[in-house]
Amino acid sequence: MTRIKSLIIGSAIVVTAGAGAAFAGSATTGPADPVIAAPVVPVVRASDWTGFYFGAGVGTGEWDRGAASGSGRNEGVFVGYDYDFGNYVLGGEAQYIGNDVVIGGQALQGVTRVKAKAGYDAGRALVYTTAGYAYADSSAGGGNGYVAGVGLDYEVMDNVTVGAEYLYNEFDDIGGQNLTGNTIEARLRDRKNTRLNSSHNTYLVC
């Protein structure tokens, strides 16, 4: 009887030990820590108006010289530079236009302008005022004067803008009389601008 009890107790110990080992070997592994992906910082190309530009314009003008008046086409070329301070833009431009205008028997042949500009950066649009020195050449002689006006440029694709500009023109002593005029031009320009890569804070010249 004692032998039987010893056999039963020994078997129970072996079975219990085996079960414990089995449970220990098949312990459930907890879930792995989630992998959090680093956020992707978008690369934003924000353009500004800083840079050199050149272009051409065509328009029309109404001119007065003394009691005589005349109107006609004007067309020309220009080159300039703008600097964008964020919301505001300052710049300068040199321009020459040829005129097809006769005023009291005298032909207005061309106008040279050197202008300063101050504008507002509205993203793809630039609204500005402009004023500066001008020289008019005519069959009655040449004369110094000034111009002042407003303009708008709009970016239709990278670096290319279309726009319009109105100018008041006034010149002293063109053949002994003052010459005044109002001109408006449609303008197309190509600009070599600076673009800002905001994610890396570096400037790229386009």
Side-chain angles (χ1 to χ4, degrees):
M1 186 67 173
T2 302
R3 185 178 179 185
I4 293 173
K5 287 175 65 176
S6 299
L7 182 59
I8 292 172
I9 293 171
S11 300
I13 292 172
V14 170
V15 170
T16 303
F23 279 113
S26 63
T28 303
T29 303
D33 292 337
V35 177
I36 301 175
V40 177
V41 179
V43 177
V44 180
R45 273 186 104 199
S47 65
D48 66 27
W49 292 86
T50 299
F52 291 96
Y53 64 87
F54 62 92
V58 60
T60 186
E62 298 281 344
W63 299 88
D64 294 297
R65 179 173 172 266
S69 62
S71 62
R73 189 181 74 253
N74 51 269
E75 54 195 20
V77 294
F78 53 85
V79 61
Y81 180 82
D82 288 330
Y83 190 87
D84 194 332
F85 291 91
N87 290 329
Y88 301 99
V89 178
L90 296 179
E93 180 180 292
Q95 179 187 34
Y96 175 79
I97 63 170
N99 298 89
D100 183 18
V101 181
V102 176
I103 311 163
Q106 305 294 329
L108 177 61
Q109 297 167 336
V111 175
T112 302
R113 300 162 172 158
V114 180
K115 303 174 289 182
K117 298 167 58 183
Y120 175 71
D121 181 352
R124 298 183 75 89
L126 174 64
V127 183
Y128 63 89
T129 61
T130 184
Y133 167 81
Y135 179 84
D137 186 25
S138 76
S139 58
N144 299 310
Y146 72 92
V147 293
V150 294
L152 169 68
D153 286 315
Y154 185 81
E155 187 178 46
V156 292
M157 62 181 70
D158 283 350
N159 305 331
V160 178
T161 67
V162 296
E165 186 176 87
Y166 160 79
L167 292 173
Y168 171 76
N169 306 254
E170 184 169 323
F171 303 92
D172 295 329
D173 195 18
I174 303 293
Q177 293 181 309
N178 289 351
L179 173 67
T180 61
N182 296 279
T183 59
I184 188 167
E185 302 168 10
R187 292 157 54 98
L188 175 68
R189 77 176 194 172
D190 179 37
R191 60 192 178 96
K192 301 301 179 183
N193 71 323
T194 303
R195 291 187 177 271
L196 174 65
N197 184 325
S198 62
S199 65
H200 299 292
N201 198 31
T202 57
Y203 285 94
L204 303 175
V205 177
C206 301

